[in-house]
Amino acid sequence: MRDKFVTRFAPSPTGHLHLGHAFSALQAWHAAREADGRFLLRIEDIDKGRCRPEFEAAIMEDLAWLGIAWEEPVRRQSDHFADYETALDTLRAQGLLYPCFCTRREIADEIAHSPSAPHDLPGPKGPDGPIYPGICRDMSAHQIQIKEGVGAAYALRLDLEKATALLKQQGDWPLRWQEGGGAPVKADPRSLGDVVLARKDTPTSYHLAVTVDDALQGVTHVIRGEDLFHATHIHRVLQALLGYPAPRYIHHPLIRDARGRRFAKRDKAETLRSLRQGGESPEAIINRLGNLTGG
Ligand code: GLU
């Protein structure tokens, strides 16, 4: 029997939902309804500095106003740091994590001075910013001890080369994922490099939390914007290392405003809240989203 279809909408409560979020939430919600599946709402609030409870309440109110219903209880990432810690322990036991004490400045300087860096570019750029040049990858236990001894802040990074070697050795390489109804996509995480999986003060990162949660919540279909397509390369690697199944993915196009720009939280006029306060109905918004995509 096929697994029941499970999908989710996973906003971060750092502001009010805008039309781009509404479009994404509706895509996932419609897909779940069509498949007679489950629709989950997940609050991605690991960044305690930027996330606010009042935005979480506003997200729920706006989604309900749009006519979207989700299962309770809602998973809130900040309630589940222990799950991310367990995943980190698994990766640590495989020897795939290392502490990195670099500041942004040190990383930028290293890239700028690397002999292979092209002169006209700031350094090898990945979709998430500069690819970490590996400064701390081979620190000795003694060097690490000294840094830790003085209370230096650090991030835990995935050693991608070691991770790939391990997956090859296990016969799990290359990795692929099913994208929509098309051909499987081969995972190539090199454009993200040794990603940060946790920080001293936030014991997880977006990449780790989203991978753990999708697996623990039994998500079978990840439906999200194409701006996160690149992240799936590393999510597949984490799934394989942590022994999770691979969900299917649908990265939908991002809708744009009349000037062709992506909607952003800073555009107050296009939040669901202000549209609602301006007298727009949910039906009008759903129609408008259909027209924006030509649908
Ligand atoms: N929390 C992410 C965001 O708001 C979405 C994560 C995901 O769908 O994988 O952009």
Side-chain angles (χ1 to χ4, degrees):
M1 209 181 75
R2 268 187 53 202
D3 286 347
K4 192 158 170 91
F5 182 109
V6 184
T7 192
R8 61 7 174 233
F9 175 57
S12 294
T14 53
H16 288 123
L17 295 184
H18 53 61
L19 285 174
H21 294 117
F23 179 70
S24 200
L26 285 164
Q27 294 281 311
W29 187 65
H30 279 306
R33 295 232 308 180
E34 261 170 41
D36 192 22
R38 298 169 54 205
F39 175 79
L40 312 175
L41 172 65
R42 183 166 75 224
I43 300 295
E44 303 216 321
D45 63 343
I46 53 172
D47 184 348
K48 290 318 261 173
R50 293 176 59 227
C51 295
R52 301 228 301 265
E54 56 270 33
F55 288 133
E56 179 182 319
I59 286 171
M60 293 185 184
E61 206 183 294
D62 290 347
L63 290 175
W65 175 76
L66 264 186
I68 292 179
W70 56 89
E71 284 184 16
E72 296 285 350
V74 168
R75 185 175 171 95
R76 187 181 296 112
Q77 289 188 325
S78 61
D79 292 337
H80 295 277
F81 283 118
D83 289 335
Y84 313 130
E85 193 58 55
T86 304
L88 281 177
D89 286 345
T90 304
L91 298 171
R92 195 179 283 116
Q94 292 171 305
L96 302 178
L97 298 183
Y98 64 90
C100 165
F101 298 90
C102 295
T103 59
R104 270 171 214 250
R105 170 109 297 232
E106 280 163 343
I107 295 173
D109 284 354
E110 174 74 15
I111 291 173
H113 294 112
S114 141
S116 59
H119 292 300
D120 52 341
L121 290 173
K125 282 279 280 176
D128 270 355
I131 300 172
Y132 182 64
I135 306 164
C136 292
R137 197 183 292 133
D138 298 314
M139 274 177 96
S140 67
H142 181 63
Q143 285 171 307
I144 294 173
Q145 224 178 15
I146 293 174
K147 290 270 191 190
E148 282 179 345
V150 294
Y154 62 86
L156 286 175
R157 290 185 181 272
L158 178 71
D159 188 326
L160 188 60
E161 216 175 285
K162 271 196 197 163
T164 315
L166 179 67
L167 292 171
K168 280 185 184 153
Q169 198 189 321
Q170 293 173 353
D172 288 334
W173 194 263
L175 294 166
R176 294 186 168 78
W177 79 82
Q178 184 59 44
E179 178 70 36
V185 179
K186 202 191 266 188
D188 181 3
R190 286 170 304 175
S191 65
L192 290 115
D194 288 0
V195 286
V196 169
L197 294 185
R199 293 186 191 279
K200 193 179 171 191
D201 48 353
T202 310
T204 186
S205 68
Y206 161 66
H207 294 305
L208 184 68
V210 87
T211 305
V212 170
D213 286 349
D214 283 336
L216 295 187
Q217 294 192 285
V219 169
T220 60
H221 290 71
V222 173
I223 300 173
R224 60 184 176 196
E226 65 188 4
D227 54 332
L228 288 170
F229 181 92
H230 71 275
T232 309
H233 292 285
I234 204 75
H235 298 175
R236 278 298 293 123
V237 170
L238 293 173
Q239 285 155 4
L241 294 170
L242 294 167
Y244 298 153
R248 287 167 166 254
Y249 288 85
I250 298 166
H251 292 96
H252 60 72
L254 299 180
I255 59 162
R256 294 180 186 274
D257 66 13
R259 283 193 273 167
R261 295 179 321 174
R262 284 166 51 173
F263 290 103
K265 283 179 177 159
R266 59 174 185 275
D267 301 329
K268 299 278 180 285
E270 303 292 0
T271 62
L272 293 181
R273 192 137 290 237
S274 57
L275 293 168
R276 166 150 60 119
Q277 281 160 1
E280 275 210 57
S281 66
E283 295 74 26
I285 288 177
I286 291 168
N287 257 332
R288 189 166 154 189
L289 292 173
N291 289 335
L292 279 171
T293 56

